[in-house]
Amino acid sequence: MIQTDLLVIASGAGGLSAAVTAAHLGLRVLVAEKDAQYGGTTAWSGGWMWIPRNPLAVEAGIVEDIETPLSYLRHELGDQFDEARARTYLEHGPRMVDFFRRHTALQFIDGNAIPDFHGNTPDAALGGRSLCAAPFDGRRLGRQIDRLKPPLRETTLWGMGIASGAELRHFMNAMRSAASFRYVAGKVLAYWRDQLQHGRGMRLVNGNALVAGLPASAFERGVEIRTDSPARRLLVEEGRVVGAVLGGPDGDVEVRASRGVVLACGGFPFDVERKKAWLPHAPSGHEHWSAASSGNTGDGLRMGEAIGAALNGQLAQAAALAPVSLVPRADGSVAHFPHLIERAKPGLIAVTAEGKRFTNEADSYHDFVRGMLAAVPAGRPVEAWLVCDHTFIRRYGLGAVKPAPMPLRRMLDNGYLKRGATPAELARQCG
Ligand SMILES: Cc1cc2nc3c(=O)[nH]c(=O)nc-3n(C[C@H](O)[C@H](O)[C@H](O)COP(=O)(O)OP(=O)(O)OC[C@H]3O[C@@H](n4cnc5c(N)ncnc54)[C@H](O)[C@@H]3O)c2cc1C
């Protein structure tokens, strides 16, 4: 049996931010992670947060009254709008950023030029409402970096993460601008130097920086992260949660937590039964692909339900949707590539299997998939094709295919890419 103050189940941004905050407030904290590495889906994510009125925006002179983003949320959410909850979020979000900046290794870069997703919604902003984890030096984690989940390989260059924003623009323009070439050459050289010295890149970016910065401070405050430790069930005594049972290499262990248990297991992208019940486009539970962490099998939801909690069934959509493609890997496994950036570039169209365009390809990923769901005839697989010409793919890349000078051949050979000299020939190739 293990005794602690707070047991945090899972090690994505949700769990780690709870853990480092509790440790800062003086609690003994144990984090239990099912996977062999900590970081969850967050380690693969863009690491961007929508936090209006955040300190970085304010420092840049972007000052807005709480009523403005509140109005944006009211218009976005319609009859789902819960004013008390939205107000609480908008009040506490900036305080959270301030807290992490002051008390943890996690720092931020601003999104002051990044507009809201729905620019036509009243009180949308052209910038100043987002921020992202700043690049983080992995050396600060010491030996603990060995257990940090690396970024999703297909979204990197040879395993090297590329920070979104200005850095990504340099990589896209490396063959067109001398300044970008120099920038990229410097980053690539530093990456290979790290590989030689440490066996991996040490400059962590995006979501990977988020789940490196939080634990760096958590470890300093004595937080233990137990990997390979799936929580199996909550312990309840006299109507109160008093801990949980964790699995592990040496068998089950009971953890007693005097101040509570935080469930942060990351939703249900790999829970077939839940998908069947909650996602109309996945009637057998198998028609929905996700770029999230495969350990996210809805355990937290089940543990909560087992002691009387219930899910809110009134949501407009039970999943945050994004288009993914299935990338065959050399070892026979399949990666799920999230199409977040390149489909918005000029020169690409998205069509259904019937060859019909169904959306503005530059819309947000959620809207893109909603458009796809609406356009695909009932009973047909929910899928679409991204179509572009050679100039486009060499300029911007396409999914897991990188822009020039990276080669295309392997992705043509393994069927990820289809090629045709005419639209008709391409359609035949696509079946
Ligand atoms: C490619 C990509 C890009 C994204 N970009 C952004 C972005 O820029 N901004 C944004 O807001 N969102 C983004 N998202 C979504 C975002 O990453 C997730 O919503 C967020 O990371 C969820 O954090 P979390 O802590 O709830 O869960 P996760 O980070 O998924 O962590 C959950 C953890 O729970 C563990 N777990 C599950 N069951 C158990 C158990 N029984 N016991 C112990 N551990 C368990 C899992 O192994 C996992 O490590 C992106 C997602 C993807 C896939």
Side-chain angles (χ1 to χ4, degrees):
M1 204 257 287
I2 297 171
Q3 185 72 48
T4 189
D5 293 332
L6 186 73
L7 171 62
V8 175
I9 299 181
S11 66
L16 291 175
S17 50
V20 73
T21 307
H24 175 80
L25 296 173
L27 302 192
R28 285 174 304 161
V29 182
L30 175 66
V31 178
E33 167 56 52
K34 175 189 205 173
D35 204 348
Q37 294 164 314
Y38 60 87
T41 306
T42 314
W44 289 351
S45 76
W48 284 92
M49 290 148 257
W50 191 79
I51 303 182
R53 306 163 70 241
N54 68 69
L56 283 82
V58 173
E59 285 159 17
I62 304 175
V63 179
E64 52 180 352
D65 190 81
I66 195 168
E67 299 304 325
T68 316
L70 192 68
S71 161
Y72 177 73
L73 286 178
R74 183 180 290 113
H75 286 96
E76 280 286 298
L77 295 170
D79 58 9
Q80 303 279 322
F81 181 67
D82 172 344
E83 174 153 355
R85 181 179 283 190
R87 216 174 254 288
T88 303
Y89 179 78
L90 293 172
E91 276 166 7
H92 290 276
R95 289 182 55 202
M96 177 193 76
V97 175
D98 184 56
F99 172 84
F100 287 135
R101 281 175 102 195
R102 281 171 195 262
H103 300 298
T104 75
L106 174 64
Q107 298 299 309
F108 300 89
I109 51 175
D110 72 67
N112 290 344
I114 296 185
D116 283 336
F117 275 4
H118 294 148
N120 293 329
T121 299
D123 288 312
L126 287 174
R129 290 182 178 170
S130 318
L131 71 177
C132 183
F136 186 83
D137 183 351
R139 279 172 281 248
R140 293 179 66 181
L141 279 169
R143 297 292 306 275
Q144 298 287 1
I145 195 163
D146 296 341
R147 293 193 301 147
L148 172 69
K149 189 169 174 172
L152 181 64
R153 190 163 179 88
E154 282 72 15
T155 61
T156 68
L157 185 61
W158 306 301
M160 173 179 63
I162 299 172
S164 38
E167 181 161 315
L168 181 59
R169 275 195 295 283
H170 278 307
F171 275 80
M172 288 288 202
N173 288 314
M175 305 309 285
R176 311 175 136 238
S177 133
S180 291
F181 182 83
R182 275 196 302 278
Y183 181 92
V184 170
K187 289 287 172 284
V188 169
L189 282 173
Y191 172 73
W192 286 110
R193 192 192 56 219
D194 282 349
Q195 277 285 356
L196 286 174
Q197 281 179 358
H198 306 283
R200 61 168 296 159
M202 284 292 173
R203 183 171 177 274
L204 311 179
V205 298
N206 306 333
N208 217 245
L210 181 54
V211 286
L214 292 171
S217 298
F219 292 133
E220 279 168 14
R221 292 179 169 93
V223 174
E224 181 190 354
I225 300 182
R226 287 197 165 205
T227 43
D228 289 313
S229 298
R232 301 206 190 284
R233 62 188 168 84
L234 296 172
L235 296 170
V236 180
E237 283 173 8
E238 295 171 6
R240 184 171 171 270
V241 173
V242 294
V245 174
L246 307 183
D250 304 321
D252 287 1
V253 56
E254 210 175 276
V255 179
R256 299 214 146 226
S258 56
R259 303 294 289 273
V261 176
V262 174
L263 290 174
C265 300
F268 60 93
F270 289 89
D271 179 346
V272 171
E273 288 307 314
R274 187 83 62 179
K275 286 192 287 185
K276 208 160 122 179
W278 285 75
L279 304 180
H281 63 273
S284 78
H286 293 284
E287 300 85 350
H288 177 91
W289 306 98
S290 172
S293 203
S294 61
N296 293 7
T297 48
D299 302 3
L301 300 178
R302 275 193 299 280
M303 283 186 273
E305 284 171 335
I307 59 161
L311 286 183
N312 174 2
Q314 304 304 313
L315 301 177
Q317 170 59 252
L321 302 169
V324 298
S325 56
L326 306 183
V327 192
R329 286 176 165 159
D331 66 2
S333 63
V334 175
H336 297 176
F337 185 93
H339 291 263
L340 304 180
I341 297 172
E342 91 291 17
R343 66 186 158 74
K345 301 292 182 197
L348 170 147
I349 59 169
V351 296
T352 61
E354 289 72 35
K356 293 208 172 91
R357 255 184 103 190
F358 54 88
T359 189
N360 172 355
E361 290 80 2
D363 268 351
S364 79
Y365 31 85
H366 191 73
D367 293 329
F368 182 100
V369 177
R370 274 172 34 142
M372 186 164 83
L373 291 173
V376 171
R380 300 294 301 272
V382 181
E383 57 189 25
W385 296 90
L386 299 179
V387 182
C388 66
D389 63 11
H390 189 75
T391 308
F392 179 97
I393 201 168
R394 300 315 277 152
R395 171 82 179 87
Y396 300 112
L398 184 64
V401 178
K402 302 283 185 288
M406 303 300 283
L408 295 178
R409 173 51 55 194
R410 192 174 71 81
M411 294 303 204
L412 282 163
D413 289 348
N414 67 19
Y416 181 72
L417 283 181
K418 309 283 184 195
R419 180 155 62 180
T422 63
E425 189 188 332
L426 184 61
R428 269 195 303 280
Q429 292 289 334
C430 296

